[in-house]
Amino acid sequence: MEEPVSLEAKLAKIKSPKLQNQRETGIVLSAIEDTLKDQKHEFSPTAYFAALLALLAQAIPSSKQIVNKELASSVVYLLDTITPHVPAPILRSKFPQILTSIAPALTFHDAEAPLLRSSMGCLESLILAQDAAAWTLPQTNMGPRRAVVGLLTLATDHRPKVRKRAQEALTKILQNPPPSPSLDHPVADMCAEAALRQLSEAAQASNKKGKGRNVSQDEHHPGLIHALHLVKTIASAARGWPSKKIDALCEVLLDISKSTSEYLTMAAFEAFEVIFAGMINETSSAKLPRLLEAISELQPSSNDTQLLPPWIAVISRGYEVSAQLDADDTFQKLPIIFEKISTFLTSMSHNIRISTSECLISLFANCVPSTAILEPSIYDEKVLEKLSRLVINLLSVKYQAAWIEVFQVISAAYETLKWNASPSLDEALRTVADLRGSDSFNGKKEADAVLGKAIEAVGPSVVLKIAPLNLTNPRPGQPGRAWLLPILREHVINTDLMHFRNEFVPLSEMIFQRIINHGDAEKTMEVKIFETLVQQTWALLPGYCNLPTDLTVALDQSFAELLSNLLYQQPELRPEICKALQILVESNKDLLAAEDPDESPFLYSRLTKADAQNNIDHLTGLAGNLLAVLFNVYSQTLPHFRAYILQCINAYLSITPEKEISETFDRVTSMLEASLADLPTELKAVKQQQIEKAKKKGAPPMPPTSHTLMDLTITLALYLPISTYPSLLTLASHTLPLSTSPQLQKKAYKLFPRLLQSPYGPTALSSRSTDLQTLLLQTAESATPPCKRDRLAAIGVVVETLPPNESLHFIPAVLSEVVLATKEVNEKARTQAFDLLIQMSKKLDDASQSGGMIAQSRIPHMPSDAPDSSASLEEFFTMVSAGLAGSSPHMVSASITALTRILYEFHATISAQMQEDIVGTMELFLIESKNREIVRSVLGFVKVAVISLLESIMSAARMDAIVKGLVGWSKEHKSRFRAKVKHILERIGRRYGWERLEAWTPEEAKKLVHNIRKSKERVKRKKAESNDKGDDEDDEADADGGEVHGQGAKRRSKFESEFDRAVYGSGSDDSGSREDSDNGSVDEERSRARGDKGRSKGKRQGDRYIVEDEDEPLDLLDRKALGSISSTKPLRGSNLPRQRRNKATVNIDGKLVIGMDEDENGDDDADAMVIDTGNGKSSKRRDRLRDAENGDLKSGIGAYVDAIRGRDAVQRGRGGRLKFSNKRQKDDGDMDVDDGDDGADGRRSSGKGQVRRSQNGSRGGRGSMNGRGGFRRSENGDRSGDRKGIDGTRNGKIGGGRITKSFGARKAGVRRR
């Protein structure tokens, strides 16, 4: 709880205001203090209080008019601040005077909200100081009751802040009654009566106005809602509602709850909720029976669809509170309440049935105490029996319309009664199972839920006795219930494992024998069903293994052998069996680790912690043999299917004694060493197997034995005792230099992070730190690229476990390797390198606190007499900076990238001189270097520096040089240099101001800066005009590297760290620029083209669109339908870009014109069509119609058209080869053109449509189609088609079908079927 602020602190804050409107108050306070100082009075609360009362009389004279609003607001504000600190006797004596002075401020019609809030605060302090005698004064006198009346009036004011302040004052007053024998406040009844009166008047006004036909019913809702909030305030503050006023309040609230306005209904329910919540404490619990009785007497008609549902909801909540206060008494009344409510299930209204079922479910969940289930008395058993009979009666015919809701109630009954539900609810279970087996029954989902809850409550053995599976020897009239197997799989838990052995193991053996009897013949449908049944049967085992009650008896040696044989012989059952064995261990361990058994009393009642410990001990005895089996099965399984086996091995290793783990480790390591000796031969054999498998297209070969054994070694490492660590590290030293096997090398590096997670790992690694350092340094040259990330992780483990102030020389020894890794192609390796740089920095920084030293003589390639240097963060910066003198541009670029990362992380820690030196060096690289790789890294550094460093570091002179260097690379387009430079210039302009940026920019590049500024302003204007919600962002906060709002959450989620966002993010969200995760550049030209589109995409990230064919709708049941789901909105009709619009062209007679374009003026005929070329792209047609009748080509274009579309045009066939065709057709001279793409995506058109003059002067053309159908221009200009040809008529009919706007309904070309 926060400590209260002292009066001195409050006054000091007033004297130094931050806002303009607060200065008047500070002036008044200073004047008062000057007056008190002149009069030689102390600055006590009483002195302040007296001076303020004198000023208040001047601002608000007795004429009840506010003379000076500014002075009155300041004085009342100061009174509100000081009054809580004034002694109570003074406040009681001055109460009439103060109330008389403040009253005009409370009643003045033009009083502003700040004045009212301060007045109410002052009034609250005065009222709280009154004693019991003052509260005896009537309301007409100038006493506290009269003041409360004013607060009640303002509590429903139309201004939210005024209303809230009045309600807060009332709450505090009612929660702090004066010292008296009564627990309630003397004014509680008056407040309740006033609030109820206001609520009734508002409700009547709303009902009266709502009867008009053309009058909106929402007109009086604000006042009604305000009155409801006042009722809730008084009910919560007064610990319930006065008993005498309960009936009237319930009647009004129920009347409001039947309103068509959902908000009003919810507000009424919240009022009931507050009233019930106030009665939970013992002092107010006596009011609850009267409240429940009043609500019960107001029961509406059973057919009232508006009022009955809220009444049922209130009853449900009321008895829930009653159960919390007196659980036993409520439980005894439960059958009567249940029977009364359940009669509403016969209603024809769906809403009433839903409300009734929810109420009955709530009664079961909240009104049945756990003691009645765990330790029921005779009377409790009778009550449970009555409830069970009532539930069974719900399955009678008269409730048939509500059977779906009844099933939900039965599910709740099973969930509450647990094992006590049998045999009392067996009849209901039998009825539900019979209904579920009926093909015509529609409530299968709800019936499955009932059966599932029954399985969880009474166990599968009881359920299968009532509804047997009948799979092996079905009898007439007893249908099979194979549909029960999936339900059992989902709901079996905490039951007898022996039941699975006795019931399902024989069933599985019998079904599997039928599969064996079928032999190797082709599988029939019956055999496939049998295989599915076997799979479903063993899928039940994980549920039976989840906290079984008879584990020590059921899981004996014979059953363990059966499971082992199945693991060896039936690979398809391995996942379920491994999962079951894993759950056996984990469920009992979770039970042992649980801290509060009271959270799950039903679970602990059937299985105690002692039972869980016995189960773990039993499993420990079997762990050795099970691990041997699992290891063998693991070696026989392909790597893609090993994960579940490894998880099971981990589970049993966690409970295996250390001695057995050591023995297992010795066996595995001995086999691994033998396998490493034959590694070259084994790798060669595996490679040969891969080649043979690739030729035969069979299953991939098994990995080498050494890989499998190394996986098992890594798994064992977490549980190994510390005595085995020397041999483990020796094994790693033999494996790490094996560059011929990158995968094995990679697995060996994974040992180090695994050891760090073990209990003994950190200590053991720290004690052998010197050996590990030597090992990693020696294997640096043999490390292959695939293991780079894991090697960096191993280095990180060694750095973390370095002894304090010792072996710090290891950090500079491997620093060059880590720096170079920041330029790795693999993203995970780069991320690991960046994290390792930060880890090294922090390690040296921590060592500097205790005076750590770096022995430079122990660093490789350093002279033996090199002096030691002190470990510090700045020393690490110096070591990284040494790479800037590297001989290769790659090393220099990597060093700059590393410096950028650590500078971003520690720029607030290192000295300003170090920052200036680094920035100065980068400035030289930017200006002097001509190498693109180096400059690309420098640009990233400049961006981080502009965002992060202080302006004192990035001085005007330095920025002038940096901007000149940036401008020098602005004309370079390779590697997106221009876009990067433009973005950095934009960030500089946003932080330092565009005027300063233009002053730093050379004259020849000012046009570029001007363009960037105009582009940003243009996007801002468009954004302001569109007024997109949620897109407003704080540019200044973003420029300073702060957190942005709006789309900031989306942008932050794109990058893994703040550094990635600073370097790679555009930071220009408000300009609509696109963020590039690779180089962080912003292409303004693309931004302008995509600005609006980018914002839309940002706001609706998850939109998906269905791309339909125009000729037929998309079949969503087709497996190929996913290919028509697009994440971008498809362009159609008028939304298509101009160059992609394919429209048909018709002549004046309405006949289809092939190969034409729109007229020169660009008028597109709405019914025009275009036939795409054979290569799938719309031809850029240049021919135009001079006249619709004769169709002459324009002069100068005919030759071009003939060249690209004429008879002698070159066509591309398959493989891109050019084809020429001079074949002539009978007497018209046209020819067929083969596009060489007969088999792709249907049969495409074979030509673009030949154009020629017909005898009557109209354009004629023919594009003969290969195979399935073609079209031919007849002598009179009409098109006639053979069989599947095209008949172009005015109404757009083609071959009896419908012409779409785009003749080829595909984007890439034309498909004709």
Side-chain angles (χ1 to χ4, degrees):
M1 187 174 180
E2 296 182 0
E3 296 182 0
V5 183
S6 63
L7 178 61
E8 290 76 9
K10 293 179 181 179
L11 296 179
K13 188 175 181 181
I14 294 174
K15 293 175 187 176
S16 56
K18 296 181 180 180
L19 300 178
Q20 184 69 27
N21 58 357
Q22 296 175 347
R23 293 183 179 178
E24 180 71 21
T25 307
I27 294 172
V28 173
L29 179 59
S30 300
I32 292 175
E33 290 184 344
D34 292 341
T35 303
L36 293 177
K37 189 181 297 183
D38 294 340
Q39 296 177 359
K40 298 181 180 180
H41 290 295
E42 295 182 359
F43 292 168
S44 63
T46 305
Y48 281 116
F49 187 67
L52 287 171
L53 287 180
L55 281 177
L56 184 62
Q58 298 177 14
I60 308 178
S62 58
S63 59
K64 298 185 179 180
Q65 293 293 328
I66 301 177
V67 176
N68 190 333
K69 291 184 179 181
E70 291 77 9
L71 179 60
S73 299
S74 300
V75 171
V76 176
Y77 180 80
L78 290 171
L79 272 175
D80 183 19
T81 305
I82 293 173
T83 305
H85 302 274
V86 178
I90 297 178
L91 294 179
R92 284 196 289 268
S93 62
K94 295 291 184 180
F95 182 82
Q97 177 186 351
I98 301 173
L99 184 59
T100 304
S101 301
I102 295 179
L106 296 172
T107 57
F108 188 53
H109 64 279
D110 289 336
E112 297 179 353
L115 177 59
L116 286 175
R117 294 202 305 271
S118 301
S119 302
M120 287 185 287
C122 182
L123 200 59
E124 173 191 322
S125 301
L126 287 171
I127 295 174
L128 289 174
Q130 304 307 305
D131 54 10
W135 287 103
T136 59
L137 296 175
Q139 182 178 334
T140 54
N141 290 5
M142 190 64 68
R145 287 180 177 270
R146 189 168 181 178
V148 171
V149 171
L151 292 175
L152 288 170
T153 304
L154 291 172
T156 55
D157 192 87
H158 66 281
R159 289 164 289 189
K161 292 184 178 180
V162 174
R163 189 169 61 248
K164 180 182 178 182
R165 186 65 185 90
Q167 292 174 2
E168 289 175 352
L170 286 172
T171 300
K172 196 167 184 180
I173 292 169
L174 291 175
Q175 288 178 348
N176 295 277
S180 65
S182 175
L183 294 175
D184 292 335
H185 199 284
V187 82
D189 290 345
M190 186 191 75
C191 291
E193 184 177 355
L196 181 58
R197 182 172 61 254
Q198 292 187 27
L199 181 64
S200 302
E201 292 174 355
Q204 292 174 3
S206 178
N207 294 335
K208 184 177 179 180
K209 206 69 176 178
K211 295 179 180 178
R213 294 182 178 179
N214 299 324
V215 180
S216 174
Q217 195 176 4
D218 293 338
E219 183 177 348
H220 283 271
H221 284 177
L224 187 55
I225 292 171
H226 299 162
L228 280 169
H229 282 298
L230 178 59
V231 168
K232 290 191 291 183
T233 300
I234 295 174
S236 60
R239 296 188 294 270
W241 198 258
S243 302
K244 298 179 181 179
K245 308 294 182 182
I246 284 179
D247 296 348
L249 177 64
C250 293
E251 186 175 356
V252 175
L253 289 177
L254 288 174
D255 184 61
I256 294 173
S257 63
K258 69 179 182 180
S259 170
T260 56
S261 172
E262 295 181 0
Y263 189 86
L264 279 180
T265 303
M266 293 303 298
F269 286 164
E270 289 173 0
F272 274 115
E273 179 73 22
V274 170
I275 294 171
F276 285 130
M279 295 182 178
I280 292 178
N281 57 65
E282 296 180 358
T283 58
S284 303
S285 59
K287 303 177 184 178
L288 183 59
R290 180 68 193 98
L291 178 59
L292 290 176
E293 181 181 353
I295 295 174
S296 300
E297 293 174 354
L298 294 173
Q299 176 181 336
S301 171
S302 59
N303 298 321
D304 192 338
T305 57
Q306 286 189 345
L307 195 54
L308 190 56
W311 180 84
I312 294 174
V314 172
I315 285 289
S316 173
R317 176 56 179 154
Y319 280 99
E320 179 183 349
V321 174
S322 177
Q324 296 178 22
L325 294 175
D326 192 349
D328 293 336
D329 183 65
T330 306
F331 178 61
Q332 305 305 327
K333 297 177 182 178
L334 188 57
I336 301 174
I337 305 166
F338 191 93
E339 184 176 10
K340 180 179 181 180
I341 300 297
S342 62
T343 57
F344 298 120
L345 287 173
T346 58
S347 174
M348 299 303 295
S349 171
H350 180 69
N351 289 338
I352 293 178
R353 297 200 302 269
I354 290 294
S355 300
T356 303
S357 64
E358 291 176 350
C359 179
L360 296 178
I361 292 171
S362 176
L363 292 177
F364 266 119
N366 301 309
C367 299
V368 179
S370 58
T371 54
I373 305 299
L374 298 174
E375 300 174 355
S377 62
I378 297 177
Y379 199 79
D380 291 339
E381 292 177 352
K382 292 182 179 180
V383 174
L384 293 177
E385 186 178 353
K386 291 179 183 178
L387 286 174
S388 301
R389 285 199 302 267
L390 292 173
V391 171
I392 294 174
N393 290 337
L394 296 179
L395 290 170
S396 59
V397 178
K398 70 175 182 176
Y399 296 107
Q400 186 173 2
W403 268 0
I404 301 300
E405 291 80 14
V406 168
F407 284 175
Q408 296 173 359
V409 176
I410 298 175
S411 298
Y414 270 109
E415 189 173 3
T416 301
L417 301 182
K418 301 297 181 182
W419 51 88
N420 291 318
S422 178
S424 57
L425 286 179
D426 288 355
E427 187 63 31
L429 181 61
R430 184 176 292 105
T431 304
V432 173
D434 293 340
L435 289 173
R436 173 61 178 82
S438 175
D439 294 335
S440 59
F441 183 64
N442 295 326
K444 288 184 171 59
K445 180 180 178 181
E446 290 76 11
D448 289 347
V450 174
L451 294 170
K453 293 298 181 183
I455 292 168
E456 293 177 3
V458 300
S461 57
V462 176
V463 175
L464 291 178
K465 286 180 181 178
I466 298 173
L469 294 174
N470 296 330
L471 294 179
T472 53
N473 296 313
R475 300 177 182 177
Q478 295 183 358
R481 295 188 177 92
W483 47 265
L484 258 178
L485 291 174
I487 302 175
L488 287 166
R489 179 192 61 201
E490 298 296 330
H491 296 279
V492 171
I493 185 176
N494 194 209
T495 187
D496 298 334
L497 181 58
M498 188 62 73
H499 179 258
F500 180 85
R501 291 187 59 181
N502 297 334
E503 181 76 18
F504 290 102
V505 172
L507 174 64
S508 173
E509 292 175 349
M510 187 179 303
I511 298 175
F512 189 70
Q513 186 61 42
R514 294 187 182 183
I515 298 175
I516 296 175
N517 295 339
H518 185 73
D520 297 333
E522 184 178 358
K523 292 182 180 180
T524 63
M525 182 60 67
E526 185 180 20
V527 172
K528 293 179 180 179
I529 292 175
F530 288 155
E531 290 178 346
T532 303
L533 288 175
V534 171
Q535 189 73 26
Q536 289 182 337
T537 300
W538 283 98
L540 303 178
L541 183 59
Y544 277 93
C545 292
N546 193 346
L547 289 176
T549 57
D550 58 346
L551 174 63
T552 55
V553 177
L555 187 60
D556 53 11
Q557 190 68 27
S558 61
F559 190 51
E561 291 176 358
L562 172 63
L563 296 179
S564 301
N565 293 331
L566 289 174
L567 285 173
Y568 282 123
Q569 299 171 7
Q570 298 192 35
E572 64 275 5
L573 298 182
R574 287 176 185 171
E576 302 297 343
I577 296 176
C578 288
K579 182 179 178 182
L581 293 173
Q582 179 184 349
I583 290 176
L584 277 175
V585 177
E586 292 180 350
S587 60
N588 284 281
K589 288 177 65 177
D590 292 342
L591 184 56
L592 282 174
E595 297 180 357
D596 188 6
D598 294 334
E599 294 182 358
S600 303
F602 299 108
L603 179 63
Y604 285 88
S605 65
R606 304 191 70 180
L607 201 67
T608 62
K609 285 193 173 186
D611 296 332
Q613 185 60 54
N614 292 335
N615 292 341
I616 292 293
D617 295 339
H618 181 73
L619 291 173
T620 300
L622 301 173
N625 295 331
L626 287 176
L627 283 174
V629 173
L630 290 171
F631 281 2
N632 293 332
V633 172
Y634 183 84
S635 63
Q636 300 171 8
T637 308
L638 289 172
H640 300 294
F641 308 102
R642 286 177 169 179
Y644 59 88
I645 303 177
L646 213 56
Q647 293 173 1
C648 187
I649 291 174
N650 270 305
Y652 279 89
L653 284 175
S654 65
I655 62 172
T656 304
E658 289 187 354
K659 183 179 179 181
E660 293 186 19
I661 292 179
S662 300
E663 294 173 355
T664 305
F665 173 73
D666 293 339
R667 290 195 297 269
V668 171
T669 51
S670 61
M671 295 172 62
L672 180 57
E673 290 173 355
S675 178
L676 290 177
D678 300 334
L679 183 61
T681 306
E682 192 175 8
L683 289 175
K684 186 176 180 180
V686 170
K687 187 174 182 180
Q688 186 63 30
Q689 291 178 11
Q690 290 176 346
I691 296 174
E692 295 176 358
K693 292 290 184 180
K695 292 180 179 179
K696 298 179 182 180
K697 295 183 180 181
M702 295 294 296
T705 307
S706 57
H707 291 190
T708 301
L709 293 173
M710 183 58 76
D711 287 338
L712 295 176
T713 303
I714 295 172
T715 306
L716 285 165
L718 185 62
Y719 308 98
L720 289 176
I722 198 170
S723 59
T724 61
Y725 277 38
S727 58
L728 181 65
L729 297 178
T730 302
L731 178 65
S733 64
H734 293 162
T735 312
L736 291 180
L738 297 177
S739 58
T740 56
S741 179
Q743 289 298 323
L744 191 61
Q745 197 178 53
K746 186 176 182 179
K747 294 177 185 296
Y749 279 116
K750 288 183 177 180
L751 276 173
F752 294 87
R754 181 76 170 174
L755 286 175
L756 190 63
Q757 300 174 8
S758 67
Y760 312 110
T763 304
L765 291 173
S766 180
S767 61
R768 292 172 174 80
S769 179
T770 304
D771 298 335
L772 294 177
Q773 295 171 35
T774 305
L775 176 62
L776 290 176
L777 291 174
Q778 291 176 350
T779 56
E781 298 296 331
S782 60
T784 55
C787 69
K788 182 64 67 176
R789 172 176 173 268
D790 295 290
R791 175 175 169 81
L792 292 172
I795 293 175
V797 170
V798 175
V799 170
E800 184 176 348
T801 56
L802 284 177
N805 301 331
E806 297 180 15
S807 304
L808 293 178
H809 65 278
F810 177 72
I811 293 178
V814 297
L815 182 58
S816 59
E817 180 182 357
V818 178
V819 169
L820 284 173
T822 60
K823 302 286 287 185
E824 282 288 330
V825 177
N826 186 283
E827 182 184 359
K828 293 182 178 179
R830 293 198 307 271
T831 304
Q832 188 69 45
F834 285 130
D835 294 342
L836 186 52
L837 281 172
I838 302 302
Q839 184 181 356
M840 289 176 169
S841 305
K842 293 180 178 179
K843 188 72 176 181
L844 290 181
D845 192 25
D846 294 340
S848 66
Q849 307 298 328
S850 56
M853 301 296 291
I854 301 175
Q856 298 193 52
S857 58
R858 301 176 63 182
I859 302 175
H861 309 297
M862 289 289 288
S864 57
D865 58 347
D868 295 345
S869 61
S870 59
S872 65
L873 186 59
E874 295 193 358
E875 179 65 21
F876 185 75
F877 273 86
T878 304
M879 289 187 290
V880 176
S881 302
L884 299 177
S887 57
S888 65
H890 187 72
M891 182 63 193
V892 176
S893 175
S895 301
I896 295 173
T897 303
L899 274 174
T900 304
R901 179 65 183 93
I902 59 178
L903 179 66
Y904 180 83
E905 186 75 19
F906 301 104
H907 66 271
T909 306
I910 61 174
S911 64
Q913 183 62 42
M914 173 66 72
Q915 297 181 42
E916 291 179 358
D917 294 343
I918 295 174
V919 173
T921 306
M922 296 305 161
E923 179 186 329
L924 292 177
F925 276 112
L926 179 63
I927 297 173
E928 302 295 338
S929 178
K930 303 299 180 184
N931 186 277
R932 289 192 183 91
E933 184 178 10
I934 295 176
V935 174
R936 186 163 57 243
S937 298
V938 173
L939 291 180
F941 178 90
V942 171
K943 182 177 179 180
V944 170
V946 168
I947 292 174
S948 305
L949 301 186
L950 299 174
E951 292 192 22
S952 59
I953 306 297
M954 307 296 290
S955 60
R958 178 152 287 150
M959 290 302 302
D960 182 71
I962 288 176
V963 170
K964 286 181 172 60
L966 290 173
V967 169
W969 288 93
S970 63
K971 297 181 180 179
E972 180 65 53
H973 289 274
K974 289 186 178 180
S975 301
R976 294 178 56 84
F977 271 80
R978 179 177 174 83
K980 293 179 181 180
V981 170
K982 290 177 67 175
H983 172 60
I984 295 174
L985 290 175
E986 179 194 340
R987 298 302 295 260
I988 294 174
R990 290 166 61 188
R991 182 173 184 185
Y992 295 94
W994 294 100
E995 293 76 10
R996 298 178 69 185
L997 175 60
E998 290 181 1
W1000 296 330
T1001 307
E1003 190 65 33
E1004 63 274 11
K1006 287 189 176 181
K1007 185 177 179 181
L1008 174 64
V1009 176
H1010 184 72
N1011 174 266
I1012 297 172
R1013 183 176 184 179
K1014 290 295 184 183
S1015 300
K1016 183 174 176 60
E1017 292 174 353
R1018 185 184 307 113
V1019 174
K1020 279 188 174 180
R1021 286 197 304 270
K1022 289 182 179 179
K1023 180 181 176 182
E1025 292 171 0
S1026 61
N1027 195 20
D1028 291 337
K1029 295 182 179 179
D1031 286 347
D1032 297 330
E1033 297 179 88
D1034 191 346
D1035 292 343
E1036 295 299 328
D1038 186 33
D1040 293 335
E1043 184 176 341
V1044 295
H1045 303 282
Q1047 294 179 354
K1050 178 180 76 64
R1051 197 176 71 234
R1052 286 195 299 273
S1053 65
K1054 183 176 180 180
F1055 304 104
E1056 295 183 358
S1057 65
E1058 290 293 328
F1059 173 74
D1060 291 343
R1061 189 176 77 172
V1063 177
Y1064 303 126
S1066 71
S1068 182
D1069 300 309
D1070 53 349
S1071 64
S1073 300
R1074 182 174 65 89
E1075 296 183 5
D1076 193 314
S1077 60
D1078 294 332
N1079 47 39
S1081 301
V1082 176
D1083 191 337
E1084 288 292 346
E1085 295 173 2
R1086 293 188 182 182
S1087 173
R1088 289 194 296 271
R1090 303 182 183 180
D1092 294 338
K1093 180 179 178 181
R1095 287 193 297 271
S1096 175
K1097 183 177 179 181
K1099 289 185 291 183
R1100 302 190 302 175
Q1101 185 74 15
D1103 284 357
R1104 295 293 183 269
Y1105 301 91
I1106 297 177
V1107 183
E1108 288 188 321
D1109 193 345
E1110 293 187 355
D1111 293 331
E1112 58 185 12
L1114 177 66
D1115 184 6
L1116 294 175
L1117 298 180
D1118 191 353
R1119 297 181 64 183
K1120 300 179 181 179
L1122 286 177
S1124 299
I1125 306 299
S1126 173
S1127 60
T1128 57
K1129 188 173 183 178
L1131 299 177
R1132 292 191 176 188
S1134 60
N1135 292 329
L1136 284 171
R1138 192 169 178 80
Q1139 64 272 21
R1140 294 186 181 179
R1141 291 182 182 174
N1142 295 333
K1143 294 188 177 180
T1145 303
V1146 296
N1147 61 10
I1148 195 170
D1149 297 324
K1151 298 178 180 179
L1152 183 66
V1153 178
I1154 304 301
M1156 300 292 183
D1157 200 358
E1158 61 273 7
D1159 58 23
E1160 188 170 347
N1161 295 329
D1163 292 330
D1164 298 343
D1165 193 325
D1167 297 326
M1169 292 193 304
V1170 174
I1171 294 183
D1172 296 344
T1173 58
N1175 60 3
K1177 296 182 179 179
S1178 180
S1179 61
K1180 297 181 179 179
R1181 295 159 296 173
R1182 300 303 185 203
D1183 49 305
R1184 297 289 188 270
L1185 288 173
R1186 172 180 295 175
D1187 188 275
E1189 291 292 336
N1190 53 30
D1192 290 337
L1193 290 173
K1194 285 194 171 183
S1195 59
I1197 302 180
Y1200 173 74
V1201 173
D1202 290 339
I1204 65 171
R1205 301 170 53 189
R1207 292 193 296 267
D1208 299 330
V1210 179
Q1211 304 292 329
R1212 287 192 180 273
R1214 290 197 178 117
R1217 293 177 296 178
L1218 300 178
K1219 298 180 64 177
F1220 299 86
S1221 177
N1222 294 323
K1223 182 178 179 180
R1224 293 184 175 274
Q1225 300 291 335
K1226 292 184 180 180
D1227 54 354
D1228 57 5
D1230 288 343
M1231 65 179 178
D1232 291 337
V1233 182
D1234 185 7
D1235 65 349
D1237 197 14
D1238 298 335
D1241 294 333
R1243 294 170 174 81
R1244 298 182 179 179
S1245 61
S1246 60
K1248 300 179 182 180
Q1250 313 302 329
V1251 181
R1252 66 184 178 87
R1253 178 83 62 181
S1254 64
Q1255 290 182 1
N1256 62 355
S1258 61
R1259 291 176 61 97
R1262 177 177 62 186
S1264 176
M1265 301 179 64
N1266 294 337
R1268 306 230 0 182
F1271 56 86
R1272 184 182 300 276
R1273 173 79 71 175
S1274 62
E1275 293 297 325
N1276 60 0
D1278 294 335
R1279 299 180 195 82
S1280 61
D1282 298 334
R1283 298 180 68 183
K1284 298 182 181 180
I1286 299 177
D1287 181 16
T1289 58
R1290 180 176 294 275
N1291 60 3
K1293 295 292 184 179
I1294 297 184
R1298 176 176 60 85
I1299 297 180
T1300 59
K1301 287 188 177 181
S1302 177
F1303 182 69
R1306 307 182 309 119
K1307 292 181 179 179
V1310 177
R1311 171 180 293 180
R1312 293 197 181 97
R1313 299 187 181 277

